Amino acid sequence: MKFAILGDIHANLDALEAVLADAAARGATHHVCIGDVVGYNANPHECVARIQGLDCPAVKGNHDEEASADTEIVGLNPLAQAALLWTRENLTDDDKRWLRELRLVRQVRDFTVVHATLDTPGSWGYVLNKFDAMASFSYQFTQVCF
């Protein structure tokens, strides 16, 4: 069993297809998505459909959360805000529902996947130093975490 870990796709269908082809050529038998299926690029619906079609474990990324929300967008620069509004308009209701229902953390066999940190996954924190990493260790119940 060989896993391909996919993440930060950001609605780039061409890149996703290239990565999937490379993963297949390298013998990947299973896939896992660590979030941010949508955001920034031109194919949010198609990327959601492609990941759904893989029938693989997936977790929610910060762009997935914002793109599937019906709330006002605050705190983003104007370009990021425009991209997010465009993404919202180009996702179906089913796409948004699927993105909203993604878990923040999942255990897959003997490893854990999360888009952000294990200690506060919904805060979308970055691991920038060893102290940030140490904060998540007490929440890690597998030897490996992506």
Side-chain angles (χ1 to χ4, degrees):
M1 178 175 300
K2 191 173 190 178
F3 283 91
I5 309 296
L6 313 168
D8 290 288
I9 297 159
H10 290 292
N12 187 336
L13 183 61
D14 292 336
L16 175 58
E17 292 297 349
V19 167
L20 289 171
D22 183 66
R26 294 172 185 265
T29 57
H30 293 75
H31 302 88
V32 174
C33 181
I34 60 171
D36 278 356
V37 176
V38 300
Y40 298 126
N41 291 292
N43 298 104
H45 168 72
E46 294 83 355
C47 287
V48 167
R50 188 69 171 99
I51 294 299
Q52 287 175 321
L54 294 173
D55 194 28
C56 67
V59 294
K60 185 187 306 186
N62 53 313
H63 288 263
D64 303 326
E65 181 168 276
E66 286 294 330
S68 64
D70 293 326
T71 57
E72 183 181 354
I73 301 167
V74 293
L76 296 179
N77 71 58
L79 290 175
Q81 183 173 355
L84 187 55
L85 289 171
W86 183 90
T87 297
R88 284 180 177 180
E89 292 171 5
N90 286 277
L91 289 169
T92 67
D93 289 341
D94 287 340
D95 294 339
K96 291 177 185 178
R97 185 176 312 105
W98 183 79
L99 291 168
R100 272 193 304 274
E101 291 175 358
L102 289 172
R103 297 184 217 166
L104 294 173
V105 180
R106 287 191 75 163
Q107 185 171 333
V108 179
R109 299 208 175 253
D110 58 349
F111 60 93
T112 303
V113 291
V114 62
H115 186 75
T117 59
L118 281 172
D119 62 329
T120 56
S123 295
W124 312 114
Y126 290 95
V127 177
L128 301 173
N129 55 54
K130 66 181 179 182
F131 300 109
D132 294 337
M134 287 174 22
S136 287
F137 286 159
S138 63
Y139 295 88
Q140 187 168 336
F141 300 104
T142 58
Q143 287 189 329
V144 177
C145 180
F146 291 94

